[in-house]
């Protein structure tokens, strides 16, 4: 008993002392336990994928934070959200812009995204580097050119004599590719970039308006006849009251040019008054109307197809905007019925110049047929036709990739 009691007493003393002082390792001397575990590492930066367009441009070097690489065959690159992304060809820096899902030469200009001498020179330079000399099917900077470009000096893209500035570069590119590399004129390059941007922004957009009234809203932005003067984009929008879907709340139309982008203004008086909207990205529109806000998102695929067709379908009880992609004979896309606020999946086929379409939403299916007209070079121009309920549809084509 005495031995047991003595042992307990000694243990109690030890516990008491340990409560007053640091016993063993890891103490701070004031009784606080100090952890030796290092803090967790910060989360990796968010990364998004974008596409570089003057039609698709492959073979560019890109860098954004820890993301580096070469743009792919369809112009894809990656960048860290919130960081800038810089583009170059060997020793020639093209410029940088905020990480985004869509980048074009006009966004790299040091003087801002306008069509000026610098933007023309950037486009001329890229189009000159195209391996097959046809930028209309995309710009491909070959591996051989990528390698020799490491020896190039920086180009002055503000020069008024780009031909002289690029003498050595053009000679190098022609030598390693074994093909002629020709520098396009400013007008030709500007028209090409204008057409690229026009088709990138063209499409059908679905969403809502909110505020003092609310309901479904839609917009279609169509690519009109090409030509220098910064290809005009015709737009039309509609909104329908949520309480009574057959009451048109607002709508109107107009035109914008590449120089206007990313702004969309409709100043004509209407049920909803003027609207002021802006492309947040080529796939997203945000803005205001007299009584509140307007928010729209692109419908239809972005799958690297060669052509995009956009337009509308209308009838007694139909007011829909349509955007489909065309590859060879396959048609895939979506339509948004603004009256009902319903999105339809659209599939179809092209046989010669005969078009067949099927639009499906839930248990509702509509079929239709139409005819494709072509440009002088054989490329798609416009599709017009009729749906089984008597509604008519019309879509205008542009080259997407």
């Amino acid at each position: 008993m005495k031995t047991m009691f003595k042992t307990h007493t000694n243990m109690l003393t030890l516990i008491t002392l340990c409560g007053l002082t640091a016993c063993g390792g890891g103490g701070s001397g004031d009784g606080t336990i100090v952890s030796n575990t290092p803090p967790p590492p910060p989360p990796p930066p968010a990364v998004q994928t974008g596409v570089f367009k003057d039609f698709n441009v492959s073979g560019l070097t890109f860098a954004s934070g820890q993301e580096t690489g070469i743009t792919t065959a369809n112009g894809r690159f990656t960048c860290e959200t919130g960081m800038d992304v810089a583009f170059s060809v060997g020793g020639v820096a093209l410029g940088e812009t905020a990480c985004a899902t869509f980048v074009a030469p006009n966004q790299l200009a040091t003087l801002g995204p306008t069509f000026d001498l610098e933007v023309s020179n950037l486009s001329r330079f890229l189009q000159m580097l195209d391996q097959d000399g046809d930028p209309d099917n995309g710009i491909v900077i070959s591996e051989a050119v990528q390698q020799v470009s490491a020896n190039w000096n920086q180009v002055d893209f503000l020069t008024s004599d780009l031909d002289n500035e690029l003498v050595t570069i053009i000679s190098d590119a022609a030598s390693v590719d074994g093909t002629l590399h020709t520098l396009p004129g400013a007008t030709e390059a500007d028209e090409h970039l204008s057409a690229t941007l026009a088709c990138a922004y063209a499409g059908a957009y679905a969403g809502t308006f909110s505020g003092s009234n609310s309901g479904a809203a839609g917009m279609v932005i169509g690519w009109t006849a090409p030509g220098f003067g910064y290809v005009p984009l015709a737009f039309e929008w509609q909104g329908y009251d949520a309480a009574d879907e057959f009451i048109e709340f607002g709508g109107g139309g107009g035109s914008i040019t590449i120089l206007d982008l990313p702004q969309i203004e409709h100043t004509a008086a209407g049920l909803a008054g003027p609207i002021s909207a802006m492309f947040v990205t080529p796939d997203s529109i945000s803005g205001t109307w007299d009584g509140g806000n307007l928010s729209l998102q692109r419908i239809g695929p972005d799958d690297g197809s060669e052509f995009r067709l956009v337009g509308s379908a209308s009838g007694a009880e139909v007011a829909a905007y349509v955007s489909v992609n065309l590859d060879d004979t396959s048609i895939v896309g979506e339509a948004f019925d603004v009256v009902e606020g319903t999105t339809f999946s659209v599939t179809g086929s092209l046989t010669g110049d005969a078009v067949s379409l099927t639009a499906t939403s839930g248990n509702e299916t509509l079929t239709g047929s139409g005819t494709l007209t072509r440009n002088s070079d054989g490329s798609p121009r416009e599709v017009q036709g009729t749906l089984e309920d008597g509604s008519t549809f019309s879509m205008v084509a542009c080259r997407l990739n």
Side-chain angles (χ1 to χ4, degrees), residues 309-315 318 320-322 324 331 335 346 349 354-359 366-372 382-396:
L309 293 92
V310 297
S312 61
S314 60
V318 174
Y321 294 138
V322 187
V324 299
I331 298 172
V346 179
S349 61
V355 174
S356 62
L357 294 177
T358 300
L366 291 172
T367 60
S369 60
T371 302
L372 171 71
E382 185 176 12
V383 172
Q384 292 186 336
T386 305
L387 298 174
E388 61 181 308
D389 66 351
S391 304
T392 59
F393 64 87
S394 176
M395 297 181 288
V396 178

Side-chain angles (χ1 to χ4, degrees), residues 48-51 77 79-80 83 85 97-103 107 281:
Q48 58 183 343
T49 299
V51 60
F77 63 89
C79 55
E80 291 187 8
M83 297 282 288
V85 55
T97 187
C99 175
T101 57
F102 179 92
V103 175
Q107 293 169 262
T281 72

Side-chain angles (χ1 to χ4, degrees), residues 237-239 248-253 266 268-273:
W237 79 280
Q238 295 185 70
E248 184 174 6
F249 178 68
H266 175 228
L271 295 174

Side-chain angles (χ1 to χ4, degrees), residues 88-132:
S88 60
V89 181
V92 180
L94 302 178
E96 60 184 42
T97 187
C99 175
T101 57
F102 179 92
V103 175
N106 60 314
Q107 293 169 262
L108 303 180
T110 57
L111 301 179
T114 60
F115 273 62
D116 56 15
L117 176 64
E118 184 180 13
V119 174
S120 292
N121 284 345
L122 283 166
S123 293
R124 294 174 70 193
F125 173 74
L126 289 173
Q127 292 169 35
M128 176 275 298
L129 291 178
D130 183 33
Q131 187 174 25
D132 71 356

Side-chain angles (χ1 to χ4, degrees), residues 1-14:
M1 288 290 293
K2 290 182 179 180
T3 303
M4 183 179 296
F5 179 79
K6 185 175 181 180
T7 302
H8 287 176
T9 301
N10 291 340
M11 291 179 63
L12 181 61
T13 302
L14 181 61

Side-chain angles (χ1 to χ4, degrees), residues 171-230:
S171 175
D172 284 350
S175 176
V176 298
D177 272 348
T179 59
L180 184 65
H181 282 257
T182 303
L183 183 67
T187 298
E188 181 183 352
D190 286 349
E191 286 181 339
H192 185 270
L193 180 58
S194 294
T196 299
L197 293 173
C199 199
Y201 282 91
Y205 296 80
T208 59
F209 64 92
S210 60
S212 59
N213 205 338
S214 62
M219 180 179 288
V220 64
I221 298 174
W223 186 75
T224 60
F228 188 61
Y230 312 108

Side-chain angles (χ1 to χ4, degrees), residues 205-207 216-218 238 240 245-246 299 313 317-322 334-344 361 364 366 389 391:
Y205 296 80
Q238 295 185 70
Y240 281 80
E245 65 181 25
F246 293 107
I299 64 171
E317 295 183 359
V318 174
Y321 294 138
V322 187
E334 290 182 315
F336 180 67
D337 187 337
V338 190
V339 177
E340 298 181 355
T342 303
T343 300
F344 288 76
S361 177
E364 187 175 2
L366 291 172
D389 66 351
S391 304

Side-chain angles (χ1 to χ4, degrees), residues 138-270:
I139 295 174
V140 177
I141 302 172
S142 69
E143 290 186 10
V145 169
Q146 293 173 43
Q147 292 174 3
V148 75
S149 67
N151 302 317
W152 294 347
N153 295 322
Q154 178 60 39
V155 171
D156 177 11
F157 289 108
L158 293 173
T159 182
S160 58
D161 188 6
L162 190 64
D163 299 72
N164 186 60
E165 184 81 5
L166 297 181
V167 168
T168 299
I169 289 177
I170 293 174
S171 175
D172 284 350
S175 176
V176 298
D177 272 348
T179 59
L180 184 65
H181 282 257
T182 303
L183 183 67
T187 298
E188 181 183 352
D190 286 349
E191 286 181 339
H192 185 270
L193 180 58
S194 294
T196 299
L197 293 173
C199 199
Y201 282 91
Y205 296 80
T208 59
F209 64 92
S210 60
S212 59
N213 205 338
S214 62
M219 180 179 288
V220 64
I221 298 174
W223 186 75
T224 60
F228 188 61
Y230 312 108
V231 184
L233 295 167
F235 74 91
E236 176 184 310
W237 79 280
Q238 295 185 70
Y240 281 80
D241 195 301
D244 186 339
E245 65 181 25
F246 293 107
I247 296 179
E248 184 174 6
F249 178 68
S255 64
I256 51 179
T257 72
I258 297 302
L259 290 178
D260 296 322
L261 293 173
Q263 194 73 26
I264 304 172
E265 299 282 353
H266 175 228
T267 58

